[in-house]
Amino acid sequence: MTDEARPSGWDGVINGMPREGQSAERSRTTTMQDIIAFTEMTGDRNPLHYDRELAEASVFGKLIVQGGVTSGILNALVAEDLPGPGTVFLGCEWKFLKAVGVGETITGRVEILTVRADKPICTLKTSVRNAAGDLCLDGVATTFTVPLKKS
């Protein structure tokens, strides 16, 4: 079977097959409500997220959001933007390099490193930076995109 006759693993994927080097970004400002919602989902009641006096006296010097709030922007990026609707994480390797405080604006970024043609699988460079440009999260992730439209 020739490559032209072979079906693509990306058939039926809403955004189609991405290209290596393609990237997307998304920004948002963290809030106390993010901490509360994450706590309701997970039970994470770490005092660094709730006790302002204790948090300000800590190495962080501020009330910080949970790591899942920081990395959550990457969930939105892959599911909404790139690769897009139907995308889930298969795995990730993230390093949290700088804590994110309440009221900080963060920008998540994904860049396609590799794309498999036979399956809707990508490897992505992932990062989250604060408004000062400091790297807060850095790493790589592997995604799978489920075909959601009929071919």
Side-chain angles (χ1 to χ4, degrees), residues 18-38:
R19 303 176 320 277
E20 290 179 7
Q22 195 173 354
S23 65
E25 290 186 355
R26 217 173 238 257
S27 297
R28 68 178 304 276
T29 301
T30 62
T31 67
M32 193 63 203
Q33 186 55 43
D34 294 332
I35 292 173
I36 293 166
F38 195 82

Side-chain angles (χ1 to χ4, degrees), residues 116-138:
R116 284 186 57 173
D118 63 327
K119 293 182 180 180
I121 294 176
C122 292
T123 303
L124 310 172
K125 177 168 179 38
T126 56
S127 64
V128 177
R129 292 183 181 273
N130 63 18
D134 299 325
L135 195 56
C136 300
L137 177 154
D138 189 35

Side-chain angles (χ1 to χ4, degrees), residues 82-149:
L82 186 66
T87 301
V88 296
F89 287 113
L90 292 178
C92 56
E93 186 176 325
W94 290 332
K95 292 181 182 174
F96 291 85
L97 303 171
K98 185 170 180 121
V100 173
V102 176
E104 285 190 59
T105 299
I106 56 174
T107 299
R109 184 175 195 280
V110 296
E111 179 183 342
I112 305 289
L113 295 176
T114 65
V115 180
R116 284 186 57 173
D118 63 327
K119 293 182 180 180
I121 294 176
C122 292
T123 303
L124 310 172
K125 177 168 179 38
T126 56
S127 64
V128 177
R129 292 183 181 273
N130 63 18
D134 299 325
L135 195 56
C136 300
L137 177 154
D138 189 35
V140 295
T142 303
T143 60
F144 178 79
T145 305
V146 176
L148 297 176
K149 65 181 184 180

